[in-house]
Amino acid sequence: MAALFPKRSNTVFRLLLALMVLTPPAAFVALMVYVRTPWNTDQYVRVDQPVEFDHRHHVVDDEIECLYCHRDAETSANAGIPATDVCMGCHAQVWNESPLLEPVRRSYFANRPIPWNRVHNLADFAYFNHAVHVQRGIGCVQCHGRVDQMARIEKVESLQMRWCLECHRHPDRYPGNAAVQAASYDVFWGTPPRPADEVKTVRAITSLTTCTACHR
Ligand code: HEC
Ligand code: HEC
Ligand code: HEC
Ligand code: HEC
Ligand code: HEC
């Protein structure tokens, strides 16, 4: 009697078995890799804005400090986006006929805020506070990159939990970096350089990695 299955079925069966065992972990690993990539985190995406506002002109050419426009960064949770009044403080006089500034004038006279699009936006279940970090001497550049070189703001960090934790576990590896800060202070990154020892945490590291520090 001829064999019920041809000989190669053994090989086929073994291959199938191997696939069944290996596919779930492979898919898992692929997912874990994917969530860490910029495609998932929206990093390096240049978000369109209702006004062609260019940080390079304002920060470098006009030497306006970050805190002039994002004045709450040092004192409150949110850095905030400047109100139209702040723009008009200059643009009522300078470039007051520029077509690029038409939406700004419209917003001002209609008393309606410019609908800026958010670039950085944590989920509601995560709590972040600018003042805690900025007062500890961590410069804007540490988390937002070289804004002074960006025509449009892009996110340079993932803002994922592991990014926060990496620094909270080893705050001394990050700016304490008075040297880094001093080196790029000339490009206006907002907070003046501070002595390294001032940047060290005053709180125990464990309190910075407890879930409830960020999930309140
Ligand atoms: C003249 C005012 C002005 C100055 C000075 C300024 N900004 Fe901004 N910034 C804005 C406006 C307006 C927006 C919203 C439009 C945009 O995203 O480009 C913004 C957006 C941002 C965002 C993105 C906000 C989001 O949606 O997530 C970051 C980060 C930022 N600024 C950081 C900085 C830093 C760092 C400096 C100093 C190097 C700085 N800015 C200086 C006006 C200013
Ligand atoms: C401290 C003064 C000052 C403030 C505040 C300011 N700007 Fe300006 N802005 C300037 C100057 C000066 C220029 C000239 C461009 C350059 O430096 O090349 C300019 C240029 C611009 C331009 C380009 C105009 C063109 O025709 O090329 C836009 C758009 C603009 N600003 C938007 C804004 C917005 C939006 C705000 C508010 C968030 C703002 N600016 C706040 C001083 C200011
Ligand atoms: C330790 C990291 C860190 C530092 C330092 C930091 N930021 Fe942020 N920034 C963030 C995160 C995270 C968000 C998103 C917050 C959210 O969505 O709740 C953000 C959001 C913003 C926004 C959007 C509006 C808002 O308030 O959410 C602006 C503007 C901004 N930062 C400007 C600045 C400026 C200017 C400085 C320096 C004075 C600075 N940041 C320093 C991490 C940082
Ligand atoms: C570059 C380093 C750095 C990064 C990145 C960073 N932090 Fe922090 N964070 C610190 C330091 C340093 C302190 C401690 C300040 C102190 O000791 O008072 C702190 C304090 C805090 C606190 C206050 C804790 C408390 O006990 O009240 C919160 C909340 C916080 N960070 C949330 C975040 C979140 C959320 C992120 C990510 C989106 C983040 N941080 C990213 C350095 C960092
Ligand atoms: C330093 C701040 C910080 C601490 C401490 C922290 N988280 Fe998070 N967590 C975050 C941030 C930021 C996100 C991402 C928010 C977003 O995606 O916008 C996050 C996201 C999460 C998520 C959603 C899944 C994900 O990865 O996006 C879970 C679940 C979570 N955290 C649980 C925890 C638990 C459990 C602990 C304690 C062991 C903890 N977190 C401690 C900041 C923190």
Side-chain angles (χ1 to χ4, degrees):
M1 196 180 86
L4 193 51
F5 295 104
K7 234 198 176 135
R8 64 168 190 281
S9 2
N10 275 345
T11 324
V12 172
F13 183 69
R14 280 196 196 109
L15 272 175
L16 279 176
L17 212 61
L19 263 180
M20 272 168 62
V21 173
L22 293 179
T23 305
F28 180 73
V29 169
L31 272 173
M32 293 306 276
V33 171
Y34 170 76
V35 297
R36 286 165 169 74
T37 60
W39 289 291
N40 181 51
T41 56
D42 287 338
Q43 268 161 280
Y44 314 113
V45 175
R46 295 180 185 177
V47 179
D48 284 335
Q49 297 291 356
V51 181
E52 297 261 345
F53 177 80
D54 190 332
H55 275 80
R56 293 173 308 178
H57 293 318
H58 291 88
V59 174
V60 181
D61 302 344
D62 307 329
E63 304 192 351
I64 312 173
E65 287 194 42
C66 312
L67 289 175
Y68 181 86
C69 289
H70 303 292
R71 54 184 65 153
D72 295 337
E74 215 172 16
T75 51
S76 76
N78 295 314
I81 302 295
T84 307
D85 290 8
V86 176
C87 316
M88 286 304 271
C90 288
H91 287 297
Q93 280 92 40
V94 268
W95 295 70
N96 54 1
E97 314 229 307
S98 161
L100 288 182
L101 283 155
E102 179 52 33
V104 179
R105 292 189 290 268
R106 230 183 302 130
S107 149
Y108 184 74
F109 292 116
N111 202 8
R112 233 178 286 128
I114 301 169
W116 301 109
N117 295 312
R118 287 294 295 254
V119 183
H120 303 73
N121 208 353
L122 290 181
D124 287 345
F125 58 77
Y127 173 76
F128 179 79
N129 185 312
H130 273 88
V132 189
H133 296 89
V134 174
Q135 282 176 13
R136 209 52 68 205
I138 301 177
C140 320
V141 71
Q142 185 73 34
C143 302
H144 295 299
R146 294 296 298 267
V147 165
D148 60 305
Q149 296 174 356
M150 294 176 192
R152 285 194 202 153
I153 298 277
E154 51 192 276
K155 216 164 74 168
V156 299
E157 299 291 350
S158 70
L159 305 196
Q160 283 175 332
M161 182 163 124
R162 46 196 225 101
W163 173 69
C164 314
L165 288 179
E166 167 60 24
C167 182
H168 280 197
R169 288 197 183 110
H170 316 283
D172 50 312
R173 280 190 205 159
Y174 293 84
N177 295 316
V180 185
Q181 285 208 359
S184 43
Y185 182 58
D186 55 333
V187 298
F188 292 93
W189 62 345
T191 50
R194 299 181 195 199
D197 48 327
E198 218 180 279
V199 177
K200 293 218 189 78
T201 55
V202 291
R203 262 170 273 219
I205 302 286
T206 46
S207 86
L208 295 183
T209 53
T210 336
C211 314
T212 48
C214 306
H215 304 296
R216 316 186 159 195

